Structures are given as structure tokens and as C-alpha cells.
Amino acid sequence: GEMASEPVARAVAEEVARWGGMRQTGVSLRYMTEFGARPTERNLLLSAQFLHKELPIRIARRALDLDSLPFGLSHKPAVLKVRDWYLDSFRDIRYFPEVSNQDDELAFTQMIKMIRVRHTNVVPTMALGVQQLKKDLGGTKAFPSGINEIHQFLDRFYMSRIGIRMLIGQHVALHDPDPEPGVIGLINTRLSPMLVARLASEDARAICMREYGSAPDVNIYGHPDFTFPYVTIHLHLMMFELVKNSLRAVQERFMNSDKHAPPVRIIVADGAEDVTIKISDEGGGIPRSGLPRIFTYLYSTAEHPPDLDGHNGVTMAGYGYGLPISRLYARYFGGDLQIISMEGYECED
């Protein structure tokens, strides 16, 4: 009954506050690569023991954050749902006994896999919460002055989510008995940006075809043999979002014209220190006034965000988070993503 659950909820709240106050430990791409190069039983055990202590800190921080949002965003049904996922996951990890042998480690790995699945729809669900808030505030026009606090919160929140998913995904992937050469967990030490560009473009064009019945070509330029160490799924996600964005702009601009839709270009340039990927299109650019807005979560070009059950599949417009979230993925390992709009020409890198 109600009485019994109150002390439990209070105890959990105290635990969350205690863990949320601890310091997180950062993990670099290089460290993950070196550590994961020998996924021995002992190393997997060490990794699980580390996550057993680290994940509750990161998850607790997010749960606390979700409780203290401005403008009553914390009380929106969608946000409460997300908070419950974080509290459930916090409990799952905290109540999991000490990891001291291989059986514990395998059970722990199953449990964190489940957590990763539970959190799959955090982004669209938070988008729905923001949508619910927008309705209350009377649409984008009437935003109060402190609204950028919500944007900063979401940047922090999604950045941290990338970190949590990376840690869980890496640990789970190290169990692969037969990895491809050069692949360490989620990291490909010899990732070909040209190949990822091709696959991401094919995915984006397929969606464009489905939505519009046709799709501009994508031309890819760069060194076919060039590789660098990176997280494959992160690069794929960023390129997919940017190409999709370009295809949509070109498609919308040339849909009713008798001119042939010009191709989207991807240029992969490998410098001594970094890799630059430029995606350019002739989709007409974004009016200068709109540029800062494409990186906010409060402005979406899509009319209808997904419902809570997320039943509307991947569409070209998505819920307007593709670019800001791609930028977080780029920054996660020290890169960046910029949109440069030139009149009549649009470049992204």
C-alpha cells in the first residue's frame, strides 16, 4: 500500500542525492581502446566493477537534474516517465550484489544491457515533454526569458546520456567472441570515413525516397584508403543526420521545379591532427536569422513530434533534434560540428 512505499521512496531519494554528489570519472577514447585491446576475463571483471560504481553516479545526477527543471517542465508526464526510467536503473545497479567472479560479471552485463534498452526512447520522450511545455507557454513566440536554461539542461542531459550509453555499449561489445580486425568494442581503430559516408548516405536516401518518391544523388570525395580510430555508430549517426538534412533541403527546393535536383557533396579531408568531413548542398541555405535556432531543442521544423509510443517511424524531419544531438556526438570526443550557410549554398562540417 501507500504507507509502505513512502519510506522506500525516501530511502531511494536519499541514495540518489548521495550518489549524485560523488565525482564522476572521465574515460577517454584512447583509454577505452588500450584497455579493451585485451578483453580477458580479468579485464571484463575490472570493467564491470568500475561500471558498478560509475553508472549510479552518472544516472543519479540525471535523476536529480530531471527533478529541478524550470517552468514546471519536471512535472510534465513525459518528463516524469523519463525520471522513472532513471530511478529504476539507479535501483537496478545499486541493488546488484558485488561483482566478484565471471558469473556475476555476465549477470551484470545482462542487467546493463536491459538498462540500455529501457532508455532507448529518452530523446523523443523528452522532446514530447518540451512539446507539452511549449503548448502551456503558448508556442515559440511567447517564450519567457529564462528559456535557454532548458536548452543548457538538455545539452548537459544528452551529452551525459551519450557517455552512459558509450560506457555500457563498450562493455557489452567487448564480449564479442569474434570481433572484426581492428575493432575494439564500439571503436574501430581503422574506421574508413568514406565507407561510413556511403552507408549513411544510402540510409538517408532510402528515407528520402520513401517520403518523396525520389532523392538527390550523393557524391563522395576523399581518400578511399584513409582510416582513423573512432566510434562507428557515432560517425554514422552524425553523417546520416547531416545528409538527411541536406537531402530534405534540396528535395523541398527542387520538388516542383523542372530543374534537375543537384547532388549533395561529401568531402572527407584528412589533416595531420584531425579529420574534417564537409557536407554541402544547394538546398537554398538557412536564412541567417534561423541559424542559431537550428541548434535549439525548442524549435523544430517538424510539425508533429512522435507520440509517446513513438509509432511514426523515422521521417525526414524527425523531431528537430538531429542537428543539436549530432553536434553533441561530435563534441563528445573533442570534435565539433558547424553549420555554415552561404546564400544559395550550404556547407556543413
Side-chain angles (χ1 to χ4, degrees):
E2 202 38 45
M3 288 309 290
S5 66
E6 274 172 26
V8 175
R10 216 180 7 260
V12 171
E14 281 166 17
E15 274 279 88
V16 167
R18 190 168 74 83
W19 280 82
M22 295 182 199
R23 286 193 53 162
Q24 351 186 131
T25 306
V27 187
S28 69
L29 190 59
R30 168 170 290 168
Y31 179 80
M32 277 190 266
T33 307
E34 287 169 3
F35 180 86
R38 297 183 25 260
T40 55
E41 268 179 38
R42 179 165 185 278
N43 276 350
L44 290 173
L45 196 60
L46 288 171
S47 172
Q49 288 165 346
F50 167 71
L51 293 181
H52 201 184
K53 291 196 184 63
E54 182 65 18
L55 291 174
I57 300 174
R58 296 183 180 215
I59 289 171
R61 288 190 164 186
R62 301 290 70 84
L64 292 170
D65 246 0
L66 284 165
D67 258 347
S68 52
L69 296 175
F71 306 110
L73 183 57
S74 291
H75 308 298
K76 294 280 162 271
V79 177
L80 289 169
K81 187 171 180 172
V82 172
R83 197 200 60 175
D84 282 343
W85 291 336
Y86 277 81
L87 290 176
D88 287 347
S89 297
F90 177 81
R91 265 194 224 101
D92 285 348
I93 300 174
R94 285 295 300 126
Y95 293 146
F96 195 91
E98 204 183 337
V99 181
S100 46
N101 59 42
Q102 203 195 358
D103 287 343
D104 298 348
E105 192 277 323
L106 289 171
F108 180 81
T109 302
Q110 281 310 113
M111 188 249 323
I112 61 176
K113 261 167 111 165
M114 241 176 45
I115 287 175
R116 190 174 54 172
V117 171
R118 173 187 291 142
H119 290 250
T120 305
N121 286 322
V122 162
V123 177
T125 310
M126 285 301 293
L128 194 68
V130 170
Q131 236 32 48
Q132 289 164 347
L133 177 70
K134 256 162 97 167
K135 254 213 246 24
D136 291 359
L137 296 174
T140 320
K141 302 278 179 289
F143 278 164
S145 56
I147 202 81
N148 64 336
E149 212 184 311
I150 288 182
H151 179 76
Q152 286 156 357
F153 154 75
L154 286 170
D155 258 354
R156 255 200 337 269
F157 186 75
Y158 292 140
M159 191 64 138
S160 165
R161 177 173 185 268
I162 292 170
I164 291 169
R165 292 184 88 74
M166 181 68 207
L167 288 175
I168 293 178
Q170 183 65 6
H171 180 82
V172 168
L174 287 177
H175 289 75
D176 180 356
D178 186 25
E180 303 265 312
V183 171
I184 297 171
L186 300 177
I187 302 158
N188 186 343
T189 58
R190 302 199 285 271
L191 184 61
S192 157
M194 294 286 287
L195 178 64
V196 177
R198 211 184 69 222
L199 297 172
S201 301
E202 284 167 10
D203 287 355
R205 287 189 77 242
I207 286 175
C208 188
M209 287 293 229
R210 203 176 66 203
E211 197 128 318
Y212 296 103
S214 67
D217 289 330
V218 178
N219 298 338
I220 304 168
Y221 306 91
H223 256 291
D225 307 328
F226 168 68
T227 63
F228 76 119
Y230 205 69
V231 179
T232 313
I233 48 180
H234 289 188
L235 186 61
H236 189 283
L237 176 134
M238 293 185 272
M239 293 190 83
F240 169 73
E241 287 296 342
L242 288 168
V243 171
K244 194 175 64 157
N245 196 55
S246 285
L247 291 173
R248 186 167 125 230
V250 172
Q251 205 54 28
E252 293 282 340
R253 186 178 182 192
F254 288 89
M255 216 162 30
N256 302 317
S257 102
D258 33 12
K259 283 206 204 73
H260 186 65
V264 170
R265 289 193 199 75
I266 303 179
I267 299 155
V268 177
D270 44 296
E273 290 293 305
D274 48 26
V275 182
T276 304
I277 297 170
K278 265 200 169 59
I279 298 171
S280 59
D281 65 64
E282 294 171 52
I286 297 159
R288 295 225 178 281
S289 59
L291 267 176
R293 282 166 65 197
I294 59 173
F295 280 119
T296 73
Y297 301 101
L298 300 155
Y299 159 78
S300 165
T301 46
E303 289 309 299
H304 307 289
D307 54 23
L308 254 185
D309 309 312
H311 278 320
N312 63 354
V314 182
T315 64
M316 284 299 279
Y319 29 82
Y321 282 21
L323 294 178
I325 288 209
S326 295
R327 184 165 69 172
L328 295 180
Y329 275 98
R331 288 177 175 173
Y332 190 76
F333 289 118
D336 206 354
L337 184 151
Q338 283 145 344
I339 303 277
I340 302 147
S341 189
M342 312 193 225
E343 292 315 315
Y345 214 80
E346 185 177 306
C347 289
E348 299 148 12
D349 61 22

